């Protein structure tokens, strides 16, 4: 997998393949990127993550979700199996950028707004170390209060949200995490066996496959099955190497 396929230059890949439209599209993307980087309340990662997994990853609340959407990890893999590895990749990427950009801060997504009586928990990245701290809710621009953001403080103490650095963090973390996709794909391919019948079920946003032929107790969530072959709950059989719904 070429992780270069997931940067903003590839937005509208199908259009870019037309030479007649390529200049127009490039100009549009550059203008859009500049617009977003000025601090607008549109989440840039919702714009750049346009690959086969985008619908599956419709909700990308955390940078770890953005990374998974980039490289094609399942929700279960992101939330459970590889949670620590993804978090470390994001942290390491922010630390790496902090060496060049100066002190950086991350406020993560919070579903219900601020915590601790009007304060947000924040991670400070400086000199290769991460420090946990909190900031007042009123310091965070309203457009970003319910978003996972990278920011710095201006000379006057105001927050400068760095959407451009968030994009860089996600791309760096995607490179650091690419092996996770290889591992998950290997497991999924070993689970998928010619002629076997599988039960597909949805549970709390996850779509699991269970091998009925071997009557295995373990289930998996295979993002490529969901994206390429899933057609609702029911039974699927592997025919010519592909899942086909049979019931």
């Amino acid at each position: 997998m070429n992780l270069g396929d997931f940067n903003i230059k590839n937005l509208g890949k199908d259009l870019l393949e037309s030479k007649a439209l390529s200049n127009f599209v490039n100009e549009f993307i550059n203008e859009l990127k500049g617009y977003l980087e000025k601090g607008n309340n549109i989440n840039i990662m919702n714009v750049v993550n346009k690959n086969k997994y985008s619908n599956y990853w419709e909700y990308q609340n955390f940078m770890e979700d953005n990374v998974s959407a980039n490289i094609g990890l399942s929700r279960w893999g992101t939330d459970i199996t590889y949670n620590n590895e993804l978090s470390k990749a994001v942290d390491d990427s922010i630390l790496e950028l902090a060496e060049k950009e100066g002190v950086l801060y991350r406020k993560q997504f919070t579903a219900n707004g601020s915590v601790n009586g009007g304060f947000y928990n924040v991670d400070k990245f400086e000199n290769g170390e991460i420090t946990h701290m909190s900031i007042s809710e009123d310091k965070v621009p309203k457009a970003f209060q319910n978003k996972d953001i990278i920011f710095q403080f201006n000379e006057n103490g105001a927050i400068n949200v760095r959407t451009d650095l968030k994009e860089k963090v996600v791309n760096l973390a995607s490179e650091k995490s690419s092996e996770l996709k290889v591992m998950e794909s290997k497991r999924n391919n070993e689970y998928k066996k010619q002629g076997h019948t599988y039960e597909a079920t949805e549970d709390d946003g996850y779509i699991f496959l269970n091998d009925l032929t071997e009557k295995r107790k373990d289930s998996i969530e295979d993002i490529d099955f969901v994206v390429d072959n899933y057609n609702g709950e029911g039974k699927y059989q592997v025919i010519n190497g592909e899942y086909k719904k049979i019931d």
Side-chain angles (χ1 to χ4, degrees):
M1 177 176 293
N2 184 358
L3 290 172
D5 289 343
F6 302 114
N7 56 46
I8 196 165
K9 292 181 181 178
N10 284 31
L11 178 65
K13 183 178 179 182
D14 292 338
L15 290 176
L16 287 175
E17 290 176 353
S18 168
K19 293 182 179 179
L21 293 174
S22 62
N23 290 337
F24 168 78
V25 175
N26 278 327
E27 286 181 12
F28 168 76
I29 291 172
N30 288 333
E31 289 180 8
L32 176 62
K33 184 177 179 182
Y35 175 76
L36 293 171
E37 289 178 356
K38 289 179 180 178
N40 274 274
N41 61 359
I42 302 174
N43 184 346
I44 192 169
M45 297 316 302
N46 288 337
V47 177
V48 301
N49 282 335
K50 297 298 181 184
N51 57 40
K52 67 178 281 186
Y53 306 112
S54 295
N55 289 336
Y56 171 93
W57 276 106
E58 178 181 1
Y59 300 104
Q60 299 176 37
N61 295 322
F62 297 92
M63 276 182 260
E64 287 79 3
D65 296 341
N66 300 141
V67 173
S68 292
N70 265 356
I71 66 177
L73 288 179
S74 66
R75 292 191 192 95
W76 182 263
T78 301
D79 296 340
I80 308 298
T81 312
Y82 309 119
N83 178 271
N84 291 335
E85 290 87 344
L86 288 166
S87 293
K88 185 177 187 304
V90 170
D91 285 346
D92 288 348
S93 298
I94 301 175
L95 285 171
E96 184 176 329
L97 288 177
E99 293 179 3
K100 302 175 182 178
E101 299 286 339
V103 182
L104 296 177
Y105 300 83
R106 178 190 184 186
K107 181 196 75 64
Q108 295 192 33
F109 166 81
T110 49
N112 299 312
S114 61
V115 296
N116 299 332
F119 288 83
Y120 287 108
N121 293 323
V122 169
D123 289 332
K124 177 182 179 182
F125 298 79
E126 182 180 23
N127 297 327
E129 295 184 356
I130 304 174
T131 305
H132 304 296
M133 54 180 290
S134 62
I135 60 171
S136 176
E137 177 184 46
D138 58 17
K139 281 187 171 291
V140 180
K142 289 186 178 180
F144 295 98
Q145 288 186 349
N146 195 34
K147 295 185 181 297
D148 191 348
I149 60 174
I150 300 290
F151 67 90
Q152 293 177 303
F153 286 104
N154 293 329
E155 292 181 358
N156 61 4
I159 282 180
N160 175 29
V161 178
R162 298 292 304 272
T163 54
D164 60 320
L165 292 187
K166 178 176 179 178
E167 181 188 357
K168 290 180 180 179
V169 167
V170 171
N171 287 334
L172 283 171
S174 296
E175 293 176 6
K176 298 178 190 297
S177 305
S178 60
E179 185 62 26
L180 300 180
K181 175 62 175 178
V182 176
M183 292 169 56
E184 188 164 85
S185 295
K186 182 176 183 294
R187 179 209 64 180
N188 295 344
N189 288 333
E190 290 174 348
Y191 198 82
K192 180 172 67 175
K193 297 182 179 180
Q194 180 68 21
H196 283 213
T197 300
Y198 299 81
E199 182 86 37
T201 57
E202 297 189 33
D203 183 12
D204 196 26
Y206 304 111
I207 299 174
F208 294 109
L209 279 170
N210 183 50
D211 189 339
L212 299 179
T213 301
E214 287 188 6
K215 298 181 179 179
R216 295 177 58 158
K217 294 182 179 180
D218 60 320
S219 300
I220 65 168
E221 189 186 24
D222 182 342
I223 184 174
D224 290 294
F225 159 73
V226 176
V227 171
D228 297 332
N229 306 108
Y230 184 63
N231 189 25
E233 292 185 311
K235 291 184 174 62
Y236 292 76
Q237 189 174 35
V238 177
I239 302 172
N240 296 326
E242 296 293 334
Y243 289 103
K244 304 292 184 182
K245 192 169 186 181
I246 59 174
D247 184 14

